[in-house]
Amino acid sequence: MRKYLIAGNWKMNLTVQEGKQFLIDIKDQINSFHNVEILVCPPYTHLDSLSRLAQGSNICIGSQDVSTESNGAYTGEISTDMLSELNCKYCIIGHSERRQYHQESDQLINKKLTKLLATNISPILCVGESLADRESDQTFDVIKRQLTNAFNSINKDTVNIQNLVIAYEPVWAIGTGKVATPFQGQEVHSFIRNLLKETLSDELADHIQILYGGSVNPANIEDLIKQEDIDGALIGGSSLKSDTFLSIIKSSSQVYELSKS
Ligand code: 13P
């Protein structure tokens, strides 16, 4: 059975000091949740101190983005080597906010994915439809297009492809309080898993974690994560307070134990 991954995407929130306090608050309370992988993706400025603080605990630290380039004259960019040096285990790419506010194309996201797969950093590739796409029955077409373009020249033999994580984040659910129903989530997640089967292999499709993101909170996590193809969550707002984040981790751990028995 795939392990759950509960990931916080802090976006542009919390100071370094607040971030450190958050980690201190959860660090000692999560040791019993070995069946859940825990990830925090803070702003770049926090990576060094939070990676140090997380050492020896089961909290991983990840980045919210990465450059397509290795080094050079790319003002404002951060490379995979720089992230590795700071012990980043994961890196989010293709988040809808990057697509929307920074005009990131599927082609650019494909380059980032290719770059990350050449390292030991696990890419968390985000896909998701807008409200207009959903209302015009384009959801599956959009998801298929985003994934197919992201996978351009990537196949089952690509080095480290087994590290890939997908996050389904319907744009209409992000920061709106309008969470996808467990049925809507499962429907898209199983569609994604089938696409992974076709594009990669049955084995990889079985192995790759598919996270749900968009208005996840302690009250809705259980029903989402009980779905067969939902393997965790990428959480924005509810990952900013240690007690709500902990509560989501705790519920996920309980659901995991129940589903095994
Ligand atoms: P919210 O949980 O705030 O809706 O954000 C989801 C998200 O964008 C995580 O990457």
Side-chain angles (χ1 to χ4, degrees):
M1 191 177 158
R2 289 176 296 273
K3 227 176 171 183
Y4 289 156
L5 172 59
I6 299 297
N9 173 10
W10 286 359
K11 308 189 180 183
M12 199 170 70
N13 291 296
L14 305 186
T15 62
V16 174
Q17 215 41 52
E18 288 165 342
K20 281 164 103 174
Q21 191 56 50
F22 179 107
L23 241 63
I24 292 165
D25 290 345
I26 66 167
K27 216 172 140 179
D28 296 332
Q29 298 191 57
I30 53 170
N31 290 333
S32 53
F33 305 129
H34 284 295
N35 50 13
V36 178
E37 289 175 63
I38 300 161
L39 169 66
V40 170
C41 300
Y44 291 132
T45 47
H46 304 39
L47 291 174
D48 187 28
S49 39
L50 296 200
S51 282
R52 286 170 205 268
L53 251 183
Q55 260 172 32
S57 75
N58 54 342
I59 307 169
C60 295
I61 301 296
S63 162
Q64 297 176 16
D65 195 23
V66 69
S67 172
T68 57
E69 305 301 324
S70 300
N71 60 277
Y74 300 100
T75 302
E77 296 285 284
I78 303 276
S79 72
T80 48
D81 280 356
M82 294 169 185
L83 296 180
S84 294
E85 196 180 19
L86 297 178
N87 284 320
C88 279
K89 296 281 185 295
Y90 290 86
C91 177
I92 298 170
I93 50 171
H95 192 282
S96 64
E97 287 149 17
R98 301 286 321 166
R99 293 179 191 258
Q100 185 181 349
Y101 304 131
H102 299 272
Q103 290 74 46
E104 290 202 0
S105 63
D106 286 348
Q107 288 67 33
L108 184 93
I109 293 158
N110 165 254
K111 280 193 184 172
K112 293 187 178 187
L113 181 58
T114 308
K115 193 87 196 156
L116 284 167
L117 288 174
T119 72
N120 286 323
I121 305 170
S122 300
I124 302 182
L125 169 64
C126 300
V127 294
E129 82 288 1
S130 67
L131 186 60
D133 295 332
R134 180 159 281 269
E135 286 179 346
S136 56
D137 279 334
Q138 299 290 305
T139 299
F140 296 110
D141 292 341
V142 169
I143 303 293
K144 187 172 182 173
R145 193 195 65 227
Q146 290 175 340
L147 279 176
T148 310
N149 290 340
F151 287 159
N152 189 21
S153 302
I154 291 169
N155 59 44
K156 66 175 175 31
D157 300 319
T158 302
V159 181
N160 294 335
I161 186 73
Q162 77 286 349
N163 288 347
L164 177 66
V165 176
I166 308 278
Y168 168 55
E169 298 207 314
V171 180
W172 50 268
I174 296 178
T176 58
K178 280 190 204 151
V179 65
T181 64
F183 176 81
Q184 286 172 322
Q186 170 57 25
E187 193 177 42
V188 177
H189 280 233
S190 85
F191 177 77
I192 293 173
R193 203 170 305 282
N194 281 328
L195 262 177
L196 295 175
K197 275 188 190 153
E198 286 167 24
T199 322
L200 302 174
S201 67
D202 285 6
E203 202 187 353
L204 280 163
D206 265 353
H207 165 83
I208 290 172
Q209 291 160 311
I210 308 176
L211 314 183
Y212 167 79
S215 295
V216 171
N217 63 35
N220 58 34
I221 184 67
E222 269 192 39
D223 287 339
L224 287 164
I225 213 156
K226 275 181 188 159
Q227 303 302 308
E228 191 183 339
D229 290 297
I230 301 186
D231 308 314
L234 184 56
I235 306 158
S238 294
S239 74
L240 296 174
K241 289 218 169 83
S242 53
D243 53 347
T244 45
F245 193 56
L246 264 174
S247 156
I248 291 171
I249 294 168
K250 202 169 169 182
S251 301
S252 306
S253 175
Q254 282 165 354
V255 171
Y256 188 92
E257 283 310 309
L258 280 174
S259 57
K260 268 201 326 190
S261 57

